[in-house]
Amino acid sequence: MLLNKILNQTAPAQVMGILNVTPDSFSDGGKYTQTDKAISQVAMMIEQGATIIDIGGESTRPGAAEVSENDELSRVIPLVKLIKAHFDVLISVDTSKAEVMAEAINSGADIINDVRALQNDNCLEVIAKSNVPVCLMHMQGLPRTMQNNPQYENLIDDIMLFFQQRINVCQQAGIAKERIIIDPGFGFGKTLKQNYQLLAHLSQFKSLGLPILSGTSRKSMIGNLLNRDVEQRLAGSLTTAIIAAQQGANIIRVHDVAETVDAMKVLLALEQNV
Ligand code: 8Y4
């Protein structure tokens, strides 16, 4: 089974490459180039060692506008089918909408990645009816306002409790625990300090006995710390990837696949000598 493959790997962590799915331009002429660009980006990420491709049609950046179901479907579903037809790679679909989940699974998606942890209508039911793994991410608040003074009683305990509750809800809905991946949601309702506290204590979530996904690539926790624009965050991103993998993260979600795969190979060499 897929999750066993992820857990029993030899490398410290699998690298999940982020596919940017920007909106198609209004003219039909833009469509092919957008699709071509996406396919060549996928080919490159696979060549660089990504074993999972994360496709998302909704921006969850702080303050981003919401995307309609139809727009999300038309951005994501054709790409899932196309990638599935051309490549032997696991496809993760980043969505919080039940209809998009259902269509993605029908089209061959291997993982559903939900930053809202299946809290939207019908999501539990759609996943329960399928047999795909699902990533449950922690977010405090909603994208538009989540970065306005996030507060926790105890950061790690609060997130741990959230996972325990969502895992219970999933199990009651008929989703086996063995299908669940957890993700603390770096940058989703966390201050700079809280993000680093989370990174420092990531290994605590191993006690839940589930694979951990970590996504810090190019995020503000790096940009704001180092005062670097988004294109200049590679060194910081690699540092966080290594720290997460050393604490047992199983999947690292990144923009810079080649560099992160190199870092994971160095960690593997290290682990083989302890
Ligand atoms: C620069 C680069 C600035 C990236 C902001 C961002 C996660 C996720 C996102 C994550 C899981 C993002 C869909 C935010 N982050 N899914 N998705 N975990 N599971 N922002 O951390 O990359 S989107």
Side-chain angles (χ1 to χ4, degrees):
M1 194 202 160
L2 175 64
L3 283 197
N4 291 326
K5 198 184 130 192
I6 290 168
L7 282 170
N8 298 331
Q9 62 200 326
T10 45
Q14 306 270 338
V15 174
M16 169 188 270
I18 301 168
L19 180 66
N20 298 311
V21 187
T22 46
D24 282 329
S25 61
F26 39 86
S27 76
D28 253 343
K31 264 195 174 176
Y32 283 108
T33 49
Q34 282 300 108
T35 306
D36 285 353
K37 273 189 204 163
I39 291 297
S40 63
Q41 201 194 335
V42 169
M44 187 167 79
M45 291 195 290
I46 293 170
E47 196 168 292
Q48 293 174 337
T51 52
I52 310 169
I53 303 294
D54 192 43
I55 309 170
E58 182 202 19
S59 178
T60 35
R61 289 189 189 195
E66 285 197 22
V67 175
S68 76
E69 183 176 298
N70 277 344
D71 284 357
E72 221 183 298
L73 285 168
S74 65
R75 284 181 202 176
V76 170
I77 302 304
L79 267 177
V80 172
K81 290 178 178 166
L82 206 60
I83 295 168
K84 202 74 195 167
H86 286 270
F87 305 101
D88 182 23
V89 70
L90 297 175
I91 300 174
S92 160
V93 173
D94 153 28
T95 185
S96 295
K97 294 188 178 76
E99 191 56 33
V100 179
M101 291 178 186
E103 292 273 331
I105 293 165
N106 255 325
S107 308
D110 299 284
I111 301 173
I112 295 296
N113 173 24
D114 185 5
V115 300
R116 292 175 187 81
L118 307 181
Q119 293 179 94
N120 280 358
D121 290 350
N122 298 322
C123 289
L124 286 165
E125 292 83 348
V126 165
I127 300 300
K129 272 189 215 146
S130 78
N131 55 15
V132 299
V134 60
C135 179
L136 305 178
M137 198 196 77
H138 173 272
M139 165 162 56
Q140 185 185 83
L142 295 168
R144 205 166 58 79
T145 51
M146 66 191 176
Q147 292 308 103
N148 301 343
N149 192 27
Q151 289 184 335
Y152 296 85
E153 191 157 342
N154 177 295
L155 178 74
I156 306 298
D157 293 351
D158 290 5
I159 295 174
M160 190 75 83
L161 185 64
F162 171 82
F163 286 141
Q164 285 163 344
Q165 288 170 342
R166 292 312 297 163
I167 292 163
N168 270 331
V169 168
C170 281
Q171 285 181 303
Q172 277 160 24
I175 302 167
K177 197 177 171 186
E178 290 69 32
R179 277 209 273 152
I180 299 172
I181 299 165
I182 53 170
D183 179 342
F186 288 100
F188 287 84
K190 285 113 189 160
T191 63
L192 183 68
K193 195 172 170 184
Q194 286 160 352
N195 281 311
Y196 281 96
Q197 192 184 345
L198 203 48
L199 184 58
H201 297 286
L202 191 67
S203 63
Q204 290 199 26
F205 298 109
K206 295 298 279 182
S207 67
L208 291 167
L210 298 175
I212 296 174
L213 191 154
S214 175
T216 53
S217 183
R218 298 186 188 175
K219 283 184 180 174
S220 297
M221 64 181 285
I222 294 154
N224 291 351
L225 182 81
L226 304 175
N227 194 15
R228 299 235 188 261
D229 288 343
V230 80
E231 321 79 56
Q232 304 195 337
R233 298 178 185 177
L234 175 58
S237 297
L238 283 174
T239 310
T240 58
I242 295 161
I243 295 164
Q246 280 200 306
Q247 291 182 76
N250 303 85
I251 303 171
I252 312 287
R253 180 180 180 274
V254 302
H255 300 85
D256 303 287
V257 170
E259 293 87 347
T260 310
V261 169
D262 274 0
M264 295 305 117
K265 286 179 181 172
V266 172
L267 282 186
L268 177 62
L270 190 75
E271 282 176 16
Q272 286 172 340
N273 282 284
V274 293

